[in-house]
C-alpha cells in the first residue's frame, strides 16, 4: 500500500508541473499589464515603466519567467503581488480560513442532509418519501447558484431583513453573541452552497445504496434475523458508502471553484474573490499562487480518494 | 399441411412471429423510458422550449430591443406576459431570443465534448498500453485544471481576435462552444475508455478478432454501440452542465455583447433590480432552472432505460 | 438649463454689489464649468477667499449638492463614538496614494494621510496641515503667481510620534517627482520648479511658470504628505517595496490596525490628532468588495453600514431604497462628465502595425455634418432623467463646471435634422435602412466599460442611431481592462480601436482646465509612437484650438482666463470634437444618524472624517 501511495505521489509531480505550465502560459498571454496605470500617466517617461517591468522580469521570455517562478516556489517563496508587494502566501492565508469555513460548513451541512435522506430514499424506494427526496435532489442541482443566491438575498435581506448581505469577518462581540453573528453572516452563502451540494450527494448516496441493498449478503443479513436498522446501517450502508466517499473526495476541488460565484455575490473575502480580483488586475503571482493551490488540492484529493477506496474496500488490492 | 387461413393473432406461428414488430434493444429502451414519468415530463418541457425558441422570435410580435420608458419595469401583464425590464423591453421576447443562444451553445458544446471524449476514450481503451497511459495522464491533467478561472482567462484572451475575424456573434459563439465543450470531454473519455476496456475482453470481441475483423470495424460496429448508452447519458448531463456554465459566464459579464440577451446576461442585468422589479430576476432564472431540470430528468430516464441491469 | 447671456465680469459685479449671494455666485460659476480653484481665485480677486466651511443653503439656481445641516456638534473630548463602518465596493489594495491612481486606494489612504489644504463643496479652501491659506496680503502668495509660501500647522505629529515638519513636504515632492519612483501623482508636481525649506514649519514652493492654478497638488490626493523618515529608505525604485504602503504612517485621525488588501481596513483613533477633541469615532472599518447595488442596500435598507461610496446605480432604484427610511442619498458635483468620443481616425485600417492612426482618417467622422448629425441623435435629457435622475445633469459642453466657463450653447435632440444632415452629406439609405456612400456602410462599433448604467445608455443611443440609418455594434469591456493603459492592450480606451466610445473623465481639482483641455491639443494625439500615453484620445486636431490654449496658459487674470475657457468650450462645441452627455455627481449614501460628512465634490469622501459623528 505504501508503495502504491509513493508511486502515485511520484506520478502526480509531473501532473502538477504540467498544470502549472499550462496555467502560466495562459496567464502570460492574457492582455493587460499590472503597470497599466503608469502608462496612462503622461508624466512618467516610458523608460521608467520599462525599468519596472524589467525589475519584475515581465519582459523575459515566458519560459524564463516560468522557470524563475518554479524555482522560487520550490524554495518556498510564492512571490509577491504585483499590485502591493504583499507576500502571496500572506494574501492567501488571510483568506483561506474564510473559504474553508464557509465551504466546510456547507459541505458538512450537505452531508448531514444527504446521508439520511439518500439512505431512507433508497431503502424505501418508490415511496412518497423517495419521490420527494429525488425531486428535491433534482431541483437542488438544477438551480444555478447565482440564481439561488439572488433569491435568498431577495427573501432574507430585502424582504425579511433577517440576514445581512455583506459578509464581515470583523465581528465585535464575544461568546454566544459572536457565534450568532458569525452564523448570521455566513448563513446565506452556506445555505446556497449546501443546497446545491446536498442535492448532488443525495443522488449519489441513493444510487449507491440501491446498488447494494438488493445484493445477496444483505438478504442474508435480514434472513439472519438482524433488525432492519442494523442491516441497513451496518451491512449495507458501510459498503455503499465506499464509492460515495471517493466521489466526495473527487468533488471537493470542484466545490472550491464553484464557490467563486457565491463569494462574489455575498462578498465573502475568500480565495475565490481574490482570484477574480487578481485576474482583473493582471496580478500574475497571485493568480498563479491561487490556481496552483487549487491544482494541489485536486491532485491531493484524487490521491486520497484512491487510497480511501483501497482502504475501505478490502477486495481491492494495489500491487 | 393445413389450409392457409389467417391464423389467430396470438397463435405462435411463423407468420404471427414475422408480423410482430421486432424487439430491438432501442425499442426496449424507448419503452422503458416512456414509463419513467419525470423523464417524459422533462422531455416534453424541453421539446416545448426548443420549439418555442426556434419559432418564438418570429411569431411573438415584440422586438427584443424596443426601448420604451413609459413601460419600464412592469409586472407581468397580458401584453407583456413576462413583464418588462428597466428600459421597457419585453422580457418574453428577450428570453425567447436568448434561449436560442443558450440552447444552441448547450447542444453544440455537448456535441464537441462527446466527439472528442469518445474519440480519445475509444483510442485509449482499444489500443491500451502506453497510448492509454499517456492519454489518461493527459485527461487527468485537464480534469485537474480549475475550470471557471480557466474559462475566465481564455475568454479574455481570444474573444477579440475571433470577433475581428468572423464577426462578434459567431466569434463569441465559436469561442463559447469550443471552450465549454473543450472542458467537458474528460468524463466522457473516461467512461468510454472504461467501457472499451471491459468490452475488449468479452468473448464476442475475441471472436471478432479471430474472424479477422479489421480494427476500425471492430471499434465502430462492435464496441462503440455498446458503449454508447453510457455516452448518451453523459451527453445529456453535459448539456445541462454547459447551459449552467454559459449562464455563469454571462452572469460574470463575459461572453456575448451586452445587448445580446442570453439567459445568464438577463440575470446579470436584473441583479440590480431585485428591489423594484423582482420579476426580471425570476423569469430568466426560472428558464435556466426548468431547462436544466428537464434535461436532468431526461438524463435520469435515459440512464434507467439504457441500464442493462434493469429488468424489462 | 441654459446659461443666460452673461459674462464672468457681470457676475463679479453682481456679487460685489451684493445682489447675488456668495453661494449663488459659486453655484453659477460651478455650473458653467469653472473649476473650484479658479472660482476661489476669482473670489480672492474680488476680495475674500479663505473661509470656514459654511452651510447656509439657499435654493440656488443650480443645486449641485445636497444641503448638509450646519454642525452644532461641539464635543468636549476625543473619541467615545464607537465604530463607524464604511463600504467601498471597489476595495483598496494599496495604501499609498502616490503609487495608485484608483480613487479607492486614494480614499483608503485618506484615512491616514492628509494634504495641506482641501476644497469644500463651495470651493472654499480649508487648511488641513497648513496653518493658514497663503494670500497676497500676508505676503505668502506671489501676485505674479510664481511662488507660494506655505506655513505649516504647529504641533502635528506622525502616528509614530515624530513631529511633522517642512522636511516631509519637501520629501513628498522629491518622492513623487523622482522618475524612478514612477509615481502616479507625478503630474501634479510637474509645474514645481523647486521647494525649499525656510524653517521647520515653512516651505517656499517655486513654480516653473506662473499659473492661476497654484493650489494643486496640495489640495487633492496627489498632495497627501508622506513621512520622510519612513519612506526615505524606500526611495526611487524601492518605492513599491515599502512596508508603509500596506501599513501607512500618517498624520490622519486614525492609525492602522489591520489591512487586508481587497478586503478590509481597520484603524483605531489617533490619540494625538492635531485637532482638539476630534475625531469622534474610536474606530473605522472600511470594507471592500461587491458591487454598487448591494452597497446601496447595505446602507439604505439593512443599515449594516454607516456610509457607502460611489453608488453607480440607476436613480429609481436608489430612490426606492431610500424610501426604507434608514439613510439618505448624498450627491456631490465634482465636475466629472460622462461623454462620447467620435474617432477622427479609422480604427479598422492598420498602418505600420497601428490602428486608429492619424494617417488613416475616419471615413465619416471627419465630416462635420456627420458629427453634428450624431450629436443631434443623442437624447441626453432622456438619459439623464431616466437613468441618472438627480445624480446627473445634462451637459452641453466638455468643461461644464463651474458655470462661469460655460458659453451659451445648447445641443438639441432632433432626429429629423440629423437625417437631413446625413442626406446632405451624401450618405443615402440603402435597402436595409443603413446609410451608404461610395460603397461604404455607415457602421459604428460603440464601446464602453461594463456597467449597467453605461449599457443602458448604449442601448438608448443605439436605438436612436438606428433611426437615422446607422448600424451599431455594441461592445463592453471589463473596467479593469478598459481603463488599464498598457501599450499592448487593444481593448482599452487610449487605443480607441472603435468608432465611438464612452466613459467619464474626472477632474483633478476645481481648477484644472489646462490639464483637461490638453485632451484636445494636436501635440497630445495618442499614437503608437508615444505608446498611446498622451492625452488626446479623439485624435482631434485644430490649430485654432491650440492657439486658444496657448493664450489661456499665459493668462493670469482669472476673469480673462474664464473668458478664454468659454471660448475653448465653444470651439469644441462648434466642431463637435466630442459629445458631452451627463455631468455626473458622485453619489454616496449615509445612515440617517451619521452627521457632518460634509461631502465635497472636489475632495475625497473622507476628507471631513475627523468631524463625522453619530447622533
Amino acid at each position: 500500500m505504501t508503495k502504491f501511495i509513493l508511486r502515485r505521489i511520484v506520478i502526480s509531480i509531473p501532473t502538477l508541473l504540467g498544470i502549472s505550465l499550462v496555467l502560466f502560459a495562459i496567464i502570460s498571454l492574457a492582455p493587460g499589464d499590472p503597470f497599466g496605470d503608469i502608462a496612462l500617466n503622461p508624466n512618467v517617461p516610458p523608460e521608467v515603466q520599462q525599468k519596472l517591468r524589467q525589475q519584475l522580469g515581465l519582459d523575459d521570455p515566458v519560459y524564463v519567467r516560468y522557470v524563475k517562478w518554479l524555482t522560487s516556489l520550490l524554495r518556498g517563496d510564492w512571490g509577491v503581488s504585483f499590485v502591493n508587494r504583499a507576500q502571496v502566501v500572506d494574501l492567501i492565508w488571510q483568506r483561506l480560513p474564510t473559504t474553508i469555513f464557509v465551504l466546510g460548513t456547507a459541505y458538512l451541512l450537505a452531508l448531514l442532509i444527504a446521508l439520511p435522506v439518500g439512505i431512507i430514499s433508497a431503502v424505501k424506494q418508490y415511496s412518497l418519501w423517495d419521490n420527494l427526496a429525488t425531486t428535491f435532489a433534482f431541483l437542488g442541482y438544477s438551480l444555478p447558484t447565482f440564481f439561488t443566491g439572488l433569491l435568498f438575498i431577495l427573501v432574507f435581506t430585502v424582504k425579511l431583513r433577517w440576514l445581512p448581505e455583506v459578509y464581515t469577518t470583523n465581528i465585535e462581540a464575544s461568546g454566544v453573541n459572536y457565534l450568532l453573528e458569525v452564523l448570521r453572516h455566513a448563513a446565506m452563502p452556506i445555505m446556497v452552497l449546501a443546497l446545491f451540494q446536498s442535492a448532488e450527494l443525495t443522488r449519489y448516496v441513493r444510487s449507491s445504496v440501491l446498488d447494494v441493498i438488493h445484493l445477496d449478503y444483505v438478504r442474508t443479513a435480514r434472513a439472519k434475523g438482524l433488525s432492519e436498522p442494523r442491516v441497513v446501517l451496518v451491512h449495507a450502508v458501510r459498503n455503499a458508502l465506499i464509492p460515495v466517499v471517493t466521489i466526495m473526495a473527487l468533488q471537493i476541488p470542484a466545490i472550491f471553484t464553484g464557490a467563486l460565484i457565491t463569494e462574489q455575490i455575498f462578498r465573502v473575502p475568500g480565495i475565490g474573490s481574490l482570484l477574480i480580483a487578481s485576474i482583473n488586475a493582471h496580478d500574475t503571482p497571485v493568480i498563479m499562487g491561487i490556481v496552483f493551490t487549487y491544482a494541489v488540492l485536486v491532485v491531493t484529493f484524487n490521491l486520497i480518494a484512491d487510497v480511501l477506496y483501497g482502504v475501505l474496500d478490502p477486495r481491492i488490492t494495489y500491487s | 399441411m393445413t389450409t392457409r387461413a389467417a391464423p389467430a393473432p396470438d397463435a405462435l406461428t411463423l407468420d404471427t412471429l414475422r408480423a410482430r414488430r421486432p424487439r430491438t434493444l432501442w425499442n426496449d429502451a424507448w419503452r422503458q423510458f416512456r414509463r419513467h414519468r419525470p423523464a417524459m415530463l422533462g422531455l416534453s418541457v424541453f421539446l416545448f422550449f426548443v420549439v418555442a425558441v426556434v419559432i418564438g422570435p418570429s411569431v411573438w410580435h415584440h422586438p427584443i430591443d424596443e426601448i420604451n420608458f413609459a413601460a419600464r419595469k412592469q409586472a407581468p401583464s397580458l401584453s407583456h406576459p413576462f413583464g418588462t425590464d428597466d428600459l421597457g423591453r419585453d422580457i418574453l421576447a428577450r428570453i425567447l431570443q436568448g434561449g436560442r443562444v443558450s440552447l444552441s451553445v448547450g447542444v453544440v458544446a455537448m456535441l464537441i465534448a462527446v466527439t472528442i471524449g469518445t474519440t480519445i476514450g475509444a483510442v485509449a481503451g482499444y489500443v491500451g498500453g502506453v497510448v492509454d497511459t499517456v492519454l489518461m495522464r493527459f485527461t487527468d491533467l485537464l480534469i485537474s485544471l480549475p475550470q471557471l478561472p480557466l474559462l475566465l482567462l481564455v475568454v479574455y484572451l481570444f474573444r477579440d481576435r475571433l470577433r475581428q475575424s468572423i464577426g462578434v456573434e459567431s466569434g463569441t459563439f465559436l469561442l463559447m462552444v469550443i471552450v465549454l465543450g473543450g472542458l467537458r470531454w474528460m468524463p466522457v473519455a473516461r467512461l468510454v475508455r472504461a467501457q472499451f476496456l471491459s468490452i475488449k475482453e468479452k468473448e464476442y470481441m475475441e471472436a471478432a478478432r479471430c474472424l479477422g475483423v479489421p480494427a476500425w470495424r471492430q471499434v465502430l460496429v462492435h464496441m462503440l454501440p455498446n458503449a454508447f448508452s453510457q455516452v448518451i447519458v453523459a451527453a445529456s448531463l453535459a448539456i445541462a452542465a454547459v447551459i449552467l456554465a454559459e449562464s455563469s459566464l454571462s452572469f460574470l459579464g463575459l461572453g456575448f455583447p451586452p445587448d445580446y440577451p442570453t439567459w445568464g446576461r438577463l440575470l446579470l442585468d436584473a441583479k440590480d433590480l431585485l428591489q423594484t422589479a423582482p420579476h426580471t430576476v425570476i423569469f430568466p432564472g426560472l428558464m435556466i432552472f426548468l431547462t436544466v431540470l428537464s434535461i436532468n430528468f431526461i438524463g435520469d430516464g435515459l440512464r434507467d432505460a439504457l441500464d442493462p441491469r434493469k429488468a424489462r | 438649463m441654459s446659461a443666460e447671456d452673461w459674462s464672468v465680469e457681470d457676475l463679479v459685479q453682481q456679487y460685489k454689489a451684493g445682489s447675488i449671494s456668495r453661494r449663488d455666485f459659486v453655484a453659477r460659476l460651478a455650473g458653467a464649468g469653472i473649476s473650484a480653484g479658479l472660482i476661489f481665485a476669482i473670489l480672492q480677486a474680488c476680495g475674500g477667499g479663505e473661509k470656514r466651511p459654511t452651510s447656509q443653503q439657499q435654493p440656488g439656481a443650480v443645486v449641485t449638492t445636497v444641503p448638509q445641516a450646519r454642525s452644532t456638534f461641539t464635543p468636549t473630548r476625543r473619541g467615545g463614538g464607537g465604530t463607524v463602518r464604511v463600504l467601498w465596493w471597489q476595495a483598496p489594495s494599496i495604501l499609498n496614494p502616490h503609487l495608485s491612481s484608483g480613487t479607492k486606494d486614494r480614499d483608503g489612504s485618506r484615512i491616514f494621510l492628509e494634504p495641506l489644504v482641501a476644497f469644500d463643496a463651495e470651493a472654499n479652501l480649508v487648511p488641513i496641515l497648513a496653518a493658514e491659506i497663503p494670500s497676497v496680503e500676508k505676503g505668502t502668495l506671489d501676485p505674479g503667481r510664481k511662488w507660494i509660501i506655505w506655513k505649516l500647522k504647529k504641533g502635528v505629529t506622525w502616528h509614530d510620534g515624530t513631529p511633522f515638519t517642512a522636511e516631509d513636504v519637501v520629501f513628498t515632492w522629491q518622492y513623487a517627482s523622482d522618475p524612478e519612483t514612477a509615481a502616479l501623482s507625478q503630474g501634479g508636481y510637474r509645474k514645481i520648479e523647486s521647494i525649499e525649506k525656510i524653517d521647520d514649519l515653512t516651505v517656499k514652493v517655486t513654480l516653473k511658470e506662473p499659473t492661476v492654478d497654484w493650489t494643486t497638488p496640495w489640495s487633492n490626493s496627489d498632495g497627501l504628505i508622506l513621512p520622510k523618515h519612513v519612506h526615505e529608505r524606500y526611495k526611487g525604485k524601492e518605492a513599491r517595496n515599502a512596508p508603509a504602503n500596506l501599513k501607512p504612517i500618517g498624520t490622519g485621525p486614525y492609525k492602522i490596525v489591520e489591512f487586508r488588501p481587497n478586503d478590509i481596513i481597520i484603524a483605531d483613533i489617533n490619540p494625538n490628532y492635531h485637532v482638539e477633541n476630534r475625531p469622534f469615532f474610536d474606530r473605522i472599518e472600511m470594507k471592500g468588495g461587491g458591487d454598487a447595488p448591494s452597497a446601496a442596500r447595505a446602507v439604505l435598507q439593512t443599515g449594516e453600514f454607516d456610509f457607502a461610496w460611489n453608488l453607480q446605480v440607476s436613480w429609481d432604484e436608489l430612490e426606492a431604497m431610500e424610501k426604507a427610511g434608514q439613510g439618505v442619498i448624498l450627491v456631490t458635483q465634482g465636475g466629472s462628465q460622462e461623454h462620447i468620443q467620435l474617432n477622427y481616425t479609422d480604427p479598422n485600417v492598420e498602418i505600420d502595425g497601428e490602428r486608429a492612426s492619424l494617417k488613416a482618417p475616419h471615413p465619416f467622422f471627419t465630416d462635420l455634418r456627420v458629427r453634428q448629425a450624431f450629436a443631434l441623435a443623442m437624447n441626453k435629457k432622456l438619459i439623464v432623467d431616466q437613468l441618472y435622475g438627480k445624480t446627473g445633469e445634462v451637459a452641453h459642453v466638455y468643461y461644464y463646471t463651474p458655470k462661469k466657463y460655460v458659453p451659451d450653447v445648447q445641443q438639441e435632440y432632433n432626429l429629423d435634422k440629423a437625417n437631413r444632415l446625413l442626406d446632405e452629406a451624401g450618405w443615402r439609405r440603402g435597402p436595409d435602412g443603413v446609410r451608404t456612400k461610395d460603397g461604404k456602410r455607415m457602421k459604428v462599433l460603440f464601446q464602453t466599460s461594463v456597467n449597467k448604467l453605461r449599457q443602458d445608455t448604449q442601448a438608448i443611443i443605439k436605438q436612436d442611431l438606428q433611426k437615422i440609418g446607422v448600424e451599431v455594434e455594441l461592445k463592453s469591456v471589463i473596467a479593469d481592462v478598459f481603463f488599464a493603459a498598457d501599450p499592448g492592450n487593444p481593448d482599452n480606451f487610449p487605443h480607441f480601436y472603435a468608432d465611438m466610445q464612452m466613459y467619464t473623465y474626472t477632474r483633478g481639482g476645481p481648477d484644472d482646465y489646462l490639464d483637461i483641455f490638453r485632451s484636445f491639443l494636436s501635440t497630445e494625439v495618442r499614437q503608437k509612437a508615444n505608446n498611446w500615453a498622451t492625452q488626446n484620445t479623439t485624435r482631434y486636431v485644430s490649430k485654432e484650438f491650440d492657439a486658444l490654449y496657448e493664450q489661456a496658459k499665459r493668462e493670469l487674470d482669472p476673469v480673462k482666463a474664464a473668458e478664454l475657457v468659454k471660448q475653448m468650450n465653444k470651439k469644441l462645441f462648434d466642431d463637435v470634437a466630442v459629445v458631452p452627455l451627463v455631468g455626473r455627481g458622485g453619489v454616496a449614501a449615509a445612515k440617517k444618524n451619521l452627521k457632518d460628512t460634509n461631502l465635497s465634490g472636489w475632495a475625497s469622501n473622507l476628507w471631513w472624517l475627523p468631524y463625522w459623528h453619530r447622533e
Side-chain angles (χ1 to χ4, degrees), chain B residues 53 97-112 151 154-155 158-182 242-243 246 249-250 254-257 260 262:
Chain B
V53 303
Q97 181 73 17
R100 281 188 176 178
V101 179
S102 302
L103 287 179
S104 48
V105 166
V107 170
V108 175
M110 177 274 288
L111 286 174
I112 293 182
L151 275 174
V154 175
V155 171
F158 293 107
R159 187 164 52 155
D160 207 48
R161 277 172 229 176
L162 274 176
R163 188 204 144 255
Q164 299 278 339
S165 39
I166 50 177
V168 67
E169 270 150 38
S170 336
T172 319
F173 183 82
L174 202 59
L175 181 65
M176 299 289 272
V177 297
I178 291 180
V179 165
L180 289 172
V242 168
I243 293 183
E246 186 272 325
L249 273 184
S250 299
L254 301 166
F256 290 85
Y260 213 75
T262 69

Side-chain angles (χ1 to χ4, degrees), chain B residues 88-280:
Chain B
R89 295 177 291 203
D90 180 50
I91 293 186
L92 176 58
R94 290 171 72 80
I95 283 185
L96 288 175
Q97 181 73 17
R100 281 188 176 178
V101 179
S102 302
L103 287 179
S104 48
V105 166
V107 170
V108 175
M110 177 274 288
L111 286 174
I112 293 182
V114 166
T115 313
I116 301 180
T118 313
T119 316
I120 294 194
V123 169
Y126 184 76
V127 174
V130 175
V131 173
D132 177 26
T133 321
V134 166
L135 281 176
M136 281 303 110
R137 287 287 123 235
F138 175 61
T139 312
D140 282 343
L141 182 84
L142 289 184
I143 290 188
S144 313
L145 290 174
Q147 293 212 348
L148 199 51
L150 204 59
L151 275 174
L152 294 177
L153 283 173
V154 175
V155 171
Y156 249 24
L157 272 181
F158 293 107
R159 187 164 52 155
D160 207 48
R161 277 172 229 176
L162 274 176
R163 188 204 144 255
Q164 299 278 339
S165 39
I166 50 177
V168 67
E169 270 150 38
S170 336
T172 319
F173 183 82
L174 202 59
L175 181 65
M176 299 289 272
V177 297
I178 291 180
V179 165
L180 289 172
L183 288 176
R184 305 242 160 232
W185 59 262
M186 291 84 77
V188 178
R190 273 208 170 154
L191 266 175
V192 170
R193 171 185 175 267
Q195 286 286 78
F196 266 53
L197 281 180
S198 76
I199 292 176
K200 212 165 56 162
E201 308 307 321
K202 293 236 160 84
E203 293 93 352
Y204 62 84
M205 286 313 298
E206 219 184 302
R209 282 193 288 270
C210 291
L211 282 176
V213 174
W216 65 267
R217 216 181 142 77
Q218 280 180 46
V219 169
L220 283 180
V221 175
H222 297 274
M223 299 177 84
L224 211 45
N226 287 310
F228 226 61
S229 56
Q230 291 273 23
V231 173
I232 290 185
V233 176
S236 67
L237 296 176
I239 303 186
V242 168
I243 293 183
L244 274 181
E246 186 272 325
S247 12
S248 307
L249 273 184
S250 299
F251 185 75
L252 290 174
L254 301 166
F256 290 85
D259 54 346
Y260 213 75
T262 69
W263 290 343
R265 176 90 216 176
L266 289 177
L267 264 179
L268 174 64
D269 287 340
K271 179 167 67 86
D272 296 354
L273 305 175
L274 265 184
Q275 201 51 39
T276 47
H279 64 272
T280 51

Side-chain angles (χ1 to χ4, degrees), chain A residues 116-280:
Chain A
V117 170
I119 294 175
I120 300 183
S121 188
V123 167
K124 296 196 199 314
Q125 201 184 7
Y126 300 130
S127 69
L128 177 64
W129 174 266
D130 182 24
N131 284 333
L132 280 177
T134 323
T135 315
F136 152 74
F138 270 107
L139 292 180
Y141 76 81
S142 303
L143 280 168
T145 42
F146 51 88
F147 186 46
T148 5
L150 288 179
L151 283 181
F152 275 30
I153 294 179
L154 181 61
V155 171
F156 291 110
T157 307
V158 176
K159 300 279 181 212
L160 290 177
R161 312 272 183 86
W162 286 354
L163 299 174
E165 187 180 346
V166 182
Y167 188 93
T168 317
T169 42
N170 226 61
I171 298 175
E172 285 170 3
S174 55
V176 178
N177 279 337
Y178 178 75
L179 217 55
L180 279 179
E181 268 305 298
V182 169
L183 282 178
R184 261 189 81 224
H185 280 270
M188 278 198 294
I190 291 182
M191 281 199 291
V192 167
L193 287 172
L195 180 65
F196 197 78
Q197 288 159 21
S198 64
E200 267 196 305
L201 272 180
T202 310
R203 303 211 62 227
Y204 282 125
V205 169
R206 179 181 177 275
S207 73
S208 291
V209 175
L210 270 182
D211 277 346
V212 151
I213 206 104
H214 297 296
L215 291 180
D216 287 339
Y217 70 87
V218 173
R219 214 181 300 156
T220 312
R222 276 206 198 99
K224 270 163 64 176
L226 297 171
S227 68
E228 189 65 14
R230 202 178 156 79
V231 168
V232 169
L233 289 175
V234 173
H235 292 269
V237 169
R238 262 177 72 178
N239 292 309
L241 281 189
I242 296 170
V244 174
V245 161
T246 50
I247 288 185
M248 274 168 50
L250 288 171
Q251 267 193 332
I252 289 184
I255 294 170
F256 268 95
T257 56
L260 261 177
I261 294 186
T262 317
E263 284 191 11
Q264 280 291 84
I265 297 182
F266 293 105
R267 225 168 317 171
V268 177
I271 310 190
S273 44
L274 180 62
L275 179 62
I276 294 192
S278 23
I279 290 181
N280 281 333

Side-chain angles (χ1 to χ4, degrees), chain A residues 9-82:
Chain A
I9 294 184
V10 166
I11 292 184
S12 13
I13 294 184
T15 313
L16 281 176
L17 278 179
I19 296 176
S20 61
L21 189 59
V22 168
L23 290 168
F24 198 87
I26 292 184
I27 295 170
S28 312
L29 287 173
D33 185 311
F35 298 115
D37 281 359
I38 297 179
L40 188 52
N41 191 322
N43 304 299
V44 181
E47 306 90 62
V48 177
Q49 194 195 7
Q50 269 305 100
K51 268 205 212 128
L52 276 173
R53 287 177 63 93
Q54 264 172 19
Q55 255 188 5
L56 291 178
L58 283 178
D59 284 332
D60 299 335
V62 176
Y63 56 87
V64 171
R65 291 169 53 193
Y66 176 69
V67 170
K68 277 203 198 143
W69 173 80
L70 192 59
T71 37
S72 25
L73 187 78
L74 291 174
R75 272 181 288 138
D77 173 16
W78 286 54
V80 287
S81 154
F82 281 168

Side-chain angles (χ1 to χ4, degrees), chain B residues 65-67 69 72-73 86-87 89 156 160 163-164 168 254 257-259 269 271-273 275-276, chain C residues 291 293 301 316-317 320 355 382 386 445 452 455-456 459-460 462-463 473-476 478 481 491:
Chain B
D65 52 4
E66 181 188 44
I67 296 175
F69 277 104
R72 293 176 83 179
K73 298 195 221 179
D86 66 328
L87 287 182
R89 295 177 291 203
Y156 249 24
D160 207 48
R163 188 204 144 255
Q164 299 278 339
V168 67
L254 301 166
D259 54 346
D269 287 340
K271 179 167 67 86
D272 296 354
L273 305 175
Q275 201 51 39
T276 47
Chain C
D291 60 9
Q301 284 196 300
D316 45 354
E317 288 294 309
R355 289 153 57 196
L382 181 73
Q386 294 291 345
L445 172 65
K452 181 87 176 73
Q455 265 75 83
D456 285 347
I460 296 177
K462 175 172 176 172
Q463 200 178 36
E473 178 191 332
L474 296 183
K475 173 175 172 182
S476 65
I478 297 188
V481 175
D491 267 345

